[in-house]
Amino acid sequence: MDSHQRLNQILQAASVSRIVYALVMPETEQVVDNVLDGRDCEAKVGREAYHRMFREAWTQKQDAMHEEFFETWKNWASPVLQFDPQQFAFQYPTGGASEALRESIHAYAARARREGFTPRLHLFEGEYEGYAAYAAAAGIETCSHNRHDWQQAIERLTPHDQFYLSQPSAIDGMVWDAYDQFMQQLVARSPGTELMLDVTYVGCVARKFSIDASYPNIPAIFFSLSKPAGVYYHRIGGMLARDEYPGLFGNKWFKNLTSLKIGTEFMRRYSVCELPTRYRSVQVQVVEEVNQELGLTLMPADVMLLAIGQPSPTASELESFLQRGSVGEQCVRVCLTPRMAHVIDPKLNPHVAARDYERFGQS
C-alpha cells in the first residue's frame, strides 16, 4: 500500500474525502420524483407530462425546450451574478460544465491553428484539474500562476492567451475577494486576454456575494448544477457566450430533456442561497467532528461541501496530502460530502460508504 492509499483510508475512516463529491440531498430526490411522477403520483399526471416531452419529435417542439432552463437559471443566479444576458446571446445546454469547458478549449485550439498563433491557457495553482487536462488533450500549453501574486501573473499574459478562473474558487471553496481587482487590471493591462469564467459553485454558498461577469474580456460563462443541486450524474449545465461556438450548435437537438427539466424544477423550488443556508449547521457540525477525529484545525468554507484550514508550520503528512494552492495562499481542503450525507440521513452508514469507496478503487 502506498502513502496515498494509506492517507485516503484515514480520510475514509472519518467519512471525508480529498476529491470533491456532489451531495445528493432529500430535496434533490424529491425534485426528481416530482419530475417523473408529478405531485399527484396516484393520478400519474406528472408521468404523462414527462412522456409528452419526448413525443412528436417531427414537430421540432423539443428544439426550444432548453430555453426555459436558461431563463430560469439566469433569474435564479441573478442575486449573485451580474451581466447583461443580451450580450451573451448564444446559450448551449451541456452535460454539466465539463462538456462546455472541453469544447471551448478545443475551439480555442482550432482558432489558433486558423489564425496562426500559439495558444496558451493560464490558471492559478490549485484550480480545477479539468482545465489543464482538457488543454493537454487539445495540445495547448498550460501556465500556472501563484494567485497570491496575481499582479505578476497579468504581466506574463499576451493578447491571444486565455485565462480560466472559477468563482467561487475551486482552489479553496471560498469567494475570491480580489476578483474585481484582478479583472479590472486584466482589462487595463492585457485587454486581449480572454477570461473564461466558471461559476460552477454558484448555488453552493449561503452568504451574500456578487460576481461581475460584465467585463468586456469575458467571452463565455460556464455553469453547472452538479454541486449546488447534488445532481452530478444527471449532467445538468450550460454555457453562455458572446459569440457562436459551432461545436455546440447541435446541442439544440442533442440534449437531455430529463436533466433540463430536473434542473428547471430544482431552481424554481429553491433559491440560489436557500439550501446552503439550510445545511450550514450540518456543515459546521461535521467540521467540528472531523477536526476532533483527524487532529486538524479546519473551518467551514463558503462552499457548503468543503472545509479549509491553514497548514501548520510543521505540516503533518495528512495536511501535506490535502494542501492546495500556492505559496502565500496554501490551504488544507477537505470534502465533507460523505459525512454530511450521513448526518442528513443517518441510515447512510459511513463505514459501508468507505468500503464501497475502496472497492471501486477511488484514489
Side-chain angles (χ1 to χ4, degrees):
M1 180 186 300
D2 63 25
S3 61
H4 279 200
Q5 290 175 317
R6 179 171 50 79
L7 292 169
N8 272 324
Q9 286 190 347
I10 293 173
L11 296 175
Q12 292 163 24
S15 294
V16 294
S17 63
R18 188 185 187 201
I19 300 169
V20 182
Y21 292 102
L23 175 65
V24 179
M25 298 165 280
E27 293 85 352
T28 304
E29 295 180 339
Q30 186 177 21
V31 167
V32 175
D33 288 343
N34 287 340
V35 167
L36 295 178
D37 288 326
R39 298 178 188 277
D40 185 0
C41 295
E42 293 299 319
K44 299 296 182 185
V45 173
R47 183 64 59 90
E48 175 61 23
Y50 174 77
H51 287 311
R52 282 201 302 267
M53 288 196 303
F54 299 90
R55 295 174 184 156
E56 302 172 320
W58 57 88
T59 67
Q60 300 181 345
K61 66 181 184 181
Q62 289 89 356
D63 290 6
M65 283 187 177
H66 61 281
E67 294 176 3
E68 179 184 26
F69 169 75
F70 275 93
E71 291 308 308
T72 304
W73 182 81
K74 285 181 279 190
N75 181 65
W76 179 77
S78 62
V80 172
L81 193 66
Q82 281 72 58
F83 70 103
D84 181 0
Q86 294 184 350
Q87 296 295 315
F88 292 81
F90 297 92
Q91 49 192 30
Y92 302 101
T94 58
S98 60
E99 181 186 4
L101 290 165
R102 184 172 61 248
E103 175 59 29
S104 71
I105 289 171
H106 279 271
Y108 174 50
R111 175 159 59 93
R113 289 193 296 271
R114 289 194 307 270
E115 299 179 9
F117 65 85
T118 300
R120 291 199 308 166
L121 187 148
H122 297 259
L123 47 80
F124 290 125
E125 294 173 11
E127 262 286 12
Y128 169 55
E129 294 85 351
Y131 303 151
Y134 296 143
I140 298 176
E141 176 190 2
T142 300
C143 303
S144 298
H145 304 275
N146 185 328
R147 194 176 67 171
H148 185 67
D149 297 322
W150 56 263
Q151 296 96 332
Q152 293 183 20
I154 293 176
E155 296 296 336
R156 295 176 58 190
L157 301 175
T158 60
H160 288 297
D161 292 352
Q162 283 191 343
F163 204 117
Y164 276 74
L165 176 77
S166 60
Q167 174 74 334
S169 178
I171 298 173
D172 54 10
M174 301 296 286
V175 177
W176 186 37
D177 291 334
Y179 168 79
D180 280 309
Q181 291 177 276
F182 172 77
M183 290 303 305
Q184 289 161 10
Q185 291 200 33
L186 180 62
V187 171
R189 293 157 60 185
S190 187
T193 298
E194 296 177 329
L195 190 288
M196 313 300 281
L197 181 61
D198 183 353
V199 296
T200 292
Y201 279 125
V202 165
C204 290
V205 177
R207 71 178 179 90
K208 292 182 179 180
F209 70 101
S210 177
I211 303 173
D212 185 352
S214 66
Y215 292 100
N217 61 337
I218 297 178
I221 301 169
F222 310 93
F223 69 91
S224 169
L225 293 184
S226 293
K227 301 305 193 310
V231 290
Y232 183 85
Y233 287 105
H234 288 285
R235 311 310 300 143
I236 310 172
M239 174 183 180
L240 299 169
R242 294 181 188 269
D243 298 309
E244 184 177 10
Y245 276 75
L248 291 173
F249 179 79
N251 284 27
K252 67 183 294 184
W253 305 297
F254 312 136
K255 61 195 176 192
N256 190 317
L257 298 183
T258 301
S259 294
L260 293 174
K261 186 65 172 176
I262 289 170
T264 300
E265 293 303 313
F266 175 86
M267 292 184 290
R268 285 176 172 168
R269 180 170 294 216
Y270 304 107
S271 65
V272 71
C273 295
E274 185 171 346
L275 293 187
T277 301
R278 180 177 300 180
Y279 287 109
R280 181 69 176 180
S281 62
V282 175
Q283 181 189 15
V284 171
Q285 172 191 332
V286 166
V287 171
E288 292 175 353
E289 294 171 355
V290 170
N291 281 337
Q292 291 179 358
E293 290 190 26
L294 297 180
L296 300 174
T297 56
L298 305 175
M299 68 175 196
D302 287 338
V303 172
M304 68 173 177
L305 308 177
L306 301 175
I308 60 167
Q310 294 297 316
S312 58
T314 55
S316 67
E317 186 181 21
L318 183 60
E319 285 181 309
S320 298
F321 181 59
L322 295 170
Q323 278 189 31
R324 293 178 71 87
S326 47
V327 176
E329 277 199 334
Q330 286 179 326
C331 70
V332 175
R333 194 196 73 178
V334 172
C335 175
L336 308 172
T337 296
R339 198 170 188 120
M340 288 183 68
H342 175 63
V343 172
I344 293 168
D345 184 357
K347 295 191 298 296
L348 295 175
N349 188 322
H351 301 294
V352 171
R355 288 200 300 272
D356 288 344
Y357 182 86
E358 183 176 1
R359 174 188 170 195
F360 289 106
Q362 300 294 329
S363 60

